[in-house]
Amino acid sequence: EVQLVVSGGGAVQPGGSLRLSCAASGIKVSDYWMHWVRQVPGKGLVWVSRLNSERSTIQYADSVKGRFTISRDDAKNTVYLEMNSLRVEDTAVYYCTCNRFSSGWGFDYWGQGTLVTVSS
Amino acid sequence: QSALTQPASVSGSPGQSITISCTGTSSDVGSYNLLSWYQQYPGKAPKLLIYEVTKRPSGVSNRFSGSKSDNTASLTISGLQTEDEADYYCCSYAPSTVIWGFGGGTKVTVL
């Protein structure tokens, strides 16, 4: 059974930092493109960032570029999202998800999400 | 602003069929068959229903089907059931920009 377990969310003040973790079991994160997607409570899904399987390219949404960093630790089979200079508008549930070419780039598996609240 | 446009809500009676549209542009939906659909219950993570416009992952009911015409993709739910009451999102991947974009979501209500 595939599981993506997301952790690291919480409350932080504007300008602060958080690091989210996505620990995978049942798959190797190095075989997939790993993504972070966020959702403001009651609103829609928004793609945030992705790291390809070769770790050769990284992409970010314009809204987080320069502030968020995605990375991967193959030994721990875990993906991270380092979030700096957090803003009130970054408040959301953050999901870890993954896809690959053989599944037509659909997001096959999802973590349970972790709530990040940025507030003074 | 979402990259793709979906109706905010769609409703139907049990047993009926409903269709949710997802409109993009000639640069994403219109150019690639990399369109997927997701079902999300409140407080839960999304679940993949359809990928590559028409394909269903194993375990997904064949009551869910996808199609596309020009810049608009559609998800049809046939034989509507109460358990289908959820939010549905489309998502398009454009290799030219290497960006994924979601629709704003459609709330399906079973009357």
Side-chain angles (χ1 to χ4, degrees):
Chain A
E1 182 194 6
V2 176
Q3 276 197 311
L4 299 178
V5 178
V6 183
S7 61
V12 63
Q13 291 188 336
S17 299
L18 277 177
R19 187 178 81 157
L20 306 183
S21 300
C22 171
S25 59
I27 61 166
K28 292 174 64 176
V29 295
S30 56
D31 288 339
Y32 284 79
W33 287 31
M34 300 302 297
H35 302 251
W36 289 93
V37 172
R38 70 185 182 184
Q39 184 175 37
V40 174
K43 302 296 184 182
L45 301 169
V46 177
W47 176 84
V48 173
S49 180
R50 69 98 180 149
L51 171 63
N52 71 338
S53 51
E54 298 81 10
R55 215 170 1 197
S56 57
T57 60
I58 289 174
Q59 221 78 25
Y60 299 98
D62 287 344
S63 58
V64 307
K65 203 172 293 184
R67 301 187 298 121
F68 289 12
T69 302
I70 189 172
S71 62
R72 194 179 82 203
D73 185 330
D74 292 346
K76 295 183 177 180
N77 210 28
T78 298
V79 177
Y80 302 97
L81 185 68
E82 186 78 37
M83 304 185 296
N84 297 316
S85 302
L86 282 162
R87 304 168 180 169
V88 171
E89 55 265 35
D90 294 320
T91 295
V93 174
Y94 284 74
Y95 293 102
C96 170
T97 183
C98 60
N99 60 3
R100 57 183 178 177
F101 173 77
S102 59
S103 60
W105 299 114
F107 294 116
D108 296 298
Y109 307 108
W110 294 73
Q112 83 283 10
T114 188
L115 177 63
V116 171
T117 303
V118 185
S119 172
S120 54
Chain B
Q1 186 175 357
S2 298
L4 307 174
T5 301
Q6 298 180 234
S9 62
V10 172
S11 62
S13 300
Q16 285 187 328
S17 292
I18 61 170
T19 297
I20 302 168
S21 61
C22 170
T23 301
T25 69
S26 57
S27 298
D28 42 52
V29 178
S31 292
Y32 308 99
N33 287 330
L34 299 175
L35 192 290
S36 51
W37 289 93
Y38 302 85
Q39 176 190 59
Q40 186 182 35
Y41 293 110
K44 300 295 185 182
K47 171 190 172 183
L48 178 64
L49 289 179
I50 298 286
Y51 65 96
E52 287 185 334
V53 179
T54 62
K55 299 177 181 178
R56 277 189 311 275
S58 63
V60 173
S61 172
N62 59 8
R63 296 187 301 103
F64 295 95
S65 62
S67 62
K68 189 184 82 167
S69 177
D70 296 327
N71 299 337
T72 298
S74 299
L75 174 71
T76 297
I77 308 175
S78 57
L80 198 62
Q81 300 179 0
T82 55
E83 68 202 51
D84 299 330
E85 195 160 282
D87 294 322
Y88 293 82
Y89 294 89
C90 60
C91 181
S92 180
Y93 169 49
S96 57
T97 60
V98 203
I99 295 292
W100 278 262
F102 285 94
T106 298
K107 181 176 181 60
V108 168
T109 302
V110 181
L111 302 171

